[in-house]
Amino acid sequence: MSQDLPETMHLKVIGPRKMAVDEKVKEVYLPGLDGYLGILPGHRPLNTFLGKGELSFGVKGSLQRIPIEGGYAHIFPDQVLVFVQFSEHEA
Amino acid sequence: MPALIDLRKRIRSVRNTQQITQAMKTVSTAKFKKAQRNILERRPYWHNMPDMVLDMARWAERKDHPLLMAREEKRLVALIVTSDKGLAGAFNSNLLEKTDEELANRSEKANISLILIGKKAEQFFKHRSYPVLRSYAGQIQNMTEEDLKDLSRYLMKLFVYSETDAVYAAYNEFKSILAPKITFLKLLPLEFSQTAGGMDSLPPDWDPSRVCLLESVLPLYFENQVFHCFYESAAAEQAARMMAMDNATRNADELISDLTLLMNKLRQASITTELLEIMTAVDALAKK
């Protein structure tokens, strides 16, 4: 790709009754159906289901983790939209 | 001229009414806070979901999912969300008037059926000719998420089985405490622009597949739209009632002060008359 890759992505993690994350991050790891997906800025557009697992995100070295029960991810080069069902204790 | 005693009675009755409106205001304020918290928690989901769903739909074809099928609108269903109770100013009447107008515009071309939420909608449409498929009158307080899911499944079924060609919704959206926003919009079929736009026109990957994802996302999206209509209306209703009761309390205050003034004037006048009478009598006696 000739155009410059974005340095960060805007991550939104949204549950039915709560917006858990709304910030710029450098990396995101999502529990896909067949294993974890690592997303870096500039990822090609992807729509996918999410399975049960741990969603982690952040700037290199310091990752925050959120347990989720599944959901959908809508991924763009500079944006990651995640709709999830949170695990019981998180909600 | 009213008698003093009548005025006193009136003031007392206005004061009683004021106490009631004041209490109703307090109650609706508490209910409004709860309803507002509910929609503020849910709004991120409602407001961000179209970004994903409409973008997915943009890459899809109409035949990929039955909820995307656009047909000529020969039959349509309108979901109308009002309140059970009145005393909320023009909350219901404005919405019903606008809805009636919109339906009248469409009634020439299409057969319209209704789904009504709230007693006010039922009362209003009782004398209209539209058939009512379902009516949730007097149930708003007890309606759970499960009931709304059931309603959205019912609407989707009507649409998918071609029993209707479009689903519209009319409701008050909570914009600010001062006034709700009357909304009349098409829920089904999903409206989206097929022209690719935005920041990238790279077609997305789908995991597992486009049809499979749409099958799961679209019903969820529609269900949330039904939630949106219902909960926004619930918050707007409490806000409207709060405002109406606040106005009523203030009007009562004004009325009481006007009546008190009038009563004082009357009393003053009667005292003056009595004094005059006495003085005249004294004068008359002195002249003798």
Side-chain angles (χ1 to χ4, degrees):
Chain A
M1 216 187 283
S2 61
Q3 68 202 70
D4 291 336
L5 290 178
E7 288 199 352
T8 55
M9 316 169 271
H10 195 134
L11 172 69
K12 289 185 184 174
V13 180
I14 307 164
R17 305 202 61 149
K18 183 174 149 195
M19 184 135 175
V21 183
D22 183 10
E23 59 185 81
K24 288 209 156 46
V25 296
K26 289 212 163 160
E27 53 188 315
V28 182
Y29 298 94
L30 302 168
L33 286 185
D34 315 312
Y36 275 80
L37 295 161
I39 314 284
L40 295 175
H43 198 283
R44 69 169 293 172
L46 168 69
N47 297 312
T48 178
F49 277 120
L50 298 180
K52 187 174 175 166
E54 215 172 46
L55 182 156
S56 46
F57 63 94
V59 189
K60 257 199 179 82
S62 59
L63 289 184
Q64 281 177 272
R65 292 162 210 283
I66 305 175
I68 60 169
E69 291 289 314
Y72 312 94
H74 186 55
I75 296 159
F76 273 121
D78 59 354
Q79 193 193 1
V80 178
L81 251 178
V82 184
F83 293 91
V84 295
Q85 207 65 48
F86 289 116
S87 302
E88 281 288 302
H89 60 278
E90 189 65 25
Chain B
M1 266 292 186
L4 262 179
I5 190 154
D6 295 334
L7 277 176
R8 283 216 184 89
K9 269 188 198 155
R10 247 192 101 189
I11 290 176
R12 207 178 315 136
S13 104
V14 173
R15 196 162 281 143
N16 283 341
T17 313
Q18 190 188 28
Q19 272 174 356
I20 294 169
T21 58
Q22 181 85 50
M24 287 181 77
K25 189 196 154 195
T26 318
V27 171
S28 53
T29 309
K31 283 188 178 164
F32 167 68
K33 289 258 163 66
K34 204 174 142 205
Q36 192 190 27
R37 201 174 50 236
N38 186 23
I39 57 168
L40 290 183
E41 278 174 0
R42 289 170 185 272
R43 268 183 180 171
Y45 208 71
W46 295 336
H47 289 180
N48 285 290
M49 208 161 199
D51 285 356
M52 173 173 86
V53 175
L54 298 184
D55 190 69
M56 280 184 176
R58 187 164 70 107
W59 294 105
E61 286 169 38
R62 292 250 175 214
K63 66 173 170 43
D64 281 349
H65 195 278
L67 293 183
L68 299 175
M69 290 300 193
R71 298 184 285 260
E72 198 190 338
E73 283 180 27
K74 283 185 184 152
R75 284 157 304 173
L76 59 92
V77 172
L79 169 70
I80 298 162
V81 189
T82 58
S83 70
D84 277 336
K85 294 176 193 143
L87 294 177
F91 176 80
N92 289 313
S93 51
N94 283 350
L95 176 81
L96 289 169
E97 209 171 285
K98 169 94 194 299
T99 309
D100 201 31
E101 201 177 290
E102 293 276 359
L103 293 182
N105 287 343
R106 288 173 171 76
S107 63
E108 279 173 20
K109 290 187 206 140
N111 283 328
I112 299 172
S113 332
L114 304 176
I115 291 182
L116 306 173
I117 297 184
K119 264 187 198 159
K120 296 287 160 183
E122 197 184 60
Q123 281 163 9
F124 185 86
F125 284 104
K126 202 156 50 180
H127 306 294
R128 304 286 194 284
S129 55
Y130 309 119
V132 177
L133 298 176
R134 275 192 183 190
S135 173
Y136 299 82
Q139 296 174 28
I140 289 184
Q141 287 265 328
N142 306 322
M143 267 175 99
T144 58
E145 241 174 66
E146 215 36 62
D147 295 326
L148 292 173
K149 280 184 188 170
D150 177 64
L151 172 63
S152 69
R153 277 194 294 268
Y154 174 67
L155 284 169
M156 280 189 279
K157 209 171 83 187
L158 285 181
F159 184 77
V160 170
Y161 291 163
S162 299
E163 281 168 37
T164 180
D165 303 317
V167 176
Y168 285 83
Y171 62 100
N172 282 294
E173 188 173 336
F174 174 69
K175 271 284 157 199
S176 75
I177 294 178
L178 293 175
K181 185 179 155 212
I182 297 171
T183 313
F184 187 89
L185 58 81
K186 192 194 265 184
L187 298 183
L188 289 178
L190 227 62
E191 294 212 305
F192 56 91
S193 57
Q194 201 96 51
T195 50
M199 47 179 207
D200 65 323
S201 40
L202 211 59
D205 289 337
W206 304 81
D207 181 24
S209 71
R210 193 170 71 195
V211 173
C212 190
L213 265 165
L214 286 173
E215 213 151 81
S216 165
V217 166
L218 291 178
L220 181 71
Y221 175 65
F222 179 69
E223 186 184 289
N224 268 288
Q225 282 196 312
V226 174
F227 284 3
H228 184 238
C229 300
F230 182 78
Y231 290 122
E232 288 279 350
S233 168
E237 178 198 340
Q238 298 304 339
R241 182 160 304 122
M242 206 166 82
M243 282 308 287
M245 289 300 113
D246 189 45
N247 279 339
T249 310
R250 247 179 296 139
N251 284 346
D253 251 340
E254 244 167 63
L255 198 57
I256 288 174
S257 76
D258 285 354
L259 285 173
T260 314
L261 190 68
L262 186 61
M263 189 181 76
N264 287 344
K265 273 188 189 159
L266 264 181
R267 202 187 56 212
Q268 202 69 54
S270 73
I271 291 171
T272 317
T273 327
E274 272 172 39
L275 268 178
L276 256 175
E277 277 165 12
I278 294 170
M279 294 311 288
T280 328
V282 169
D283 270 359
L285 281 176
K287 272 180 195 161
K288 272 186 181 176

